[in-house]
Amino acid sequence: MDYAFLQQYWWFLVSLLGALLVFLMFVQGANSMIFSLGWNAESRRLLINSTGRKWEFTFTTLVTFGGAFFASFPLFYSTSFGGAYWLWMAILFSFVVQAVSYEFQNKLGNILGTKTFQWMLVINGVVGPVLLGGAVATFFTGSNFIVDKANMTDTLQPVISRWANASHGLDALLDIWNVIFGLAVFFLSRVLGGLYIINNVEDSNIRSRAKRQLHGNTACFLAFFLSFIAYVLQKEGYAYDPSTGIVAMEPYKYLHNMLEMWWLLLLFVAGTALLLYGIIRTTRSNSFHRGIWYAGIGVVLVVLSLLLCAGWNHTAYYPSNIDIQYSLTIENSCSSQFTLTTMAVVSLLIPFVLAYIIYAWRAIDRNGLKQHDIEHDEAY
């Protein structure tokens, strides 16, 4: 395995983690609909215990995604997670609020009331997907950062990268396309959340309400998502010369990436088809409850193809809007060959970890969740 292969390999793994994270945000999507799907305290508690079985998968994947980026592309980690400080802190805080809400809403001594913590889950269900989607959109729209590796020789302030303004990442929300993609991720999470509830909760009223929600959420998702994809495919992209590292603007760069790496286009089309199949069949059949799996696999394929398109084929995956020569590529921002090789060996354990997750998931969901379960078993 040469250095170039390891760089491509680790970008693939990071992209796969990002794709899995977007799928697992069905937890946030379902939580954003607690009060629209649940009409009383009992039904809302049933919904919360359904997502409560899975929220740790989402949180763990988010942390793993950040850790993988830190280990394989440390310059991105220091630039985005360090420079765009307030944006990532807002995302992390919303997930911390989620964890606290699950654990304390029905504890003895809760002076804030159960509904207060339920509204915190709703806030996480809205804020988390929108902000995370906006952060990912900057892979295509760029951010306001400066990179100067010469600063490593400065004994007083050896900081390689810094934000060019005092917003520390919140300026990403001033770009309309970042907001549009954030809203696309938000409505996608609600679609996935509805499909998950239909699959996981054995209650006819809740399933009926979730199906009605699917129509509007799907329409909003498609409107925002297709608008963003149309914008990305026709915009200029950030290409770099692998021999010199010089970044230059290339018309239709992301469209060229999809056409030149045709397998990514196939992944994108297949993923879109699976997502729509899961939604359409669920809404048209009263007995079909497995739409989450078709849609989930589709989402993973679509997000994976987009993230690979953003970094492969000599593309700067984190463009700088201050000076395009500061833009980060998988070559100028990655760890050493020794580090990537060592981690590549460790990554061989990933299939075993995935097998354990699948086993644990099946054990948890061996039977659909019923009201009886939260009345007689341990519950949130």
Side-chain angles (χ1 to χ4, degrees), residues 123-141:
I123 291 171
N124 169 252
V126 176
V127 173
V130 171
L131 293 185
L132 193 59
V136 172
T138 59
F139 286 177
F140 299 94
T141 61

Side-chain angles (χ1 to χ4, degrees), residues 10 18 63-64 102 113 116 179 202 215 234 251 258 264 316 321 323 360:
W10 274 101
V63 174
T64 306
Y102 275 118
T116 300
V179 175
E202 294 190 4
H215 296 90
Q234 61 81 37
M258 282 291 187
L264 294 186
N321 293 330
D323 185 333

Side-chain angles (χ1 to χ4, degrees), residues 111-126:
I111 61 175
L112 297 177
T114 300
K115 273 196 173 182
T116 300
F117 286 107
Q118 290 176 350
W119 275 109
M120 288 183 181
L121 289 177
V122 174
I123 291 171
N124 169 252
V126 176

Side-chain angles (χ1 to χ4, degrees), residues 176-193:
I176 185 62
W177 292 108
N178 294 342
V179 175
I180 285 174
F181 190 70
L183 290 172
V185 173
F186 166 64
F187 284 108
L188 174 62
S189 72
R190 286 170 66 90
V191 169
L192 294 174

Side-chain angles (χ1 to χ4, degrees), residues 45 370-379:
R45 194 175 186 196
K370 305 179 183 69
Q371 190 69 38
H372 174 273
D373 297 324
I374 63 174
E375 291 175 352
H376 296 84
D377 298 332
E378 185 177 352

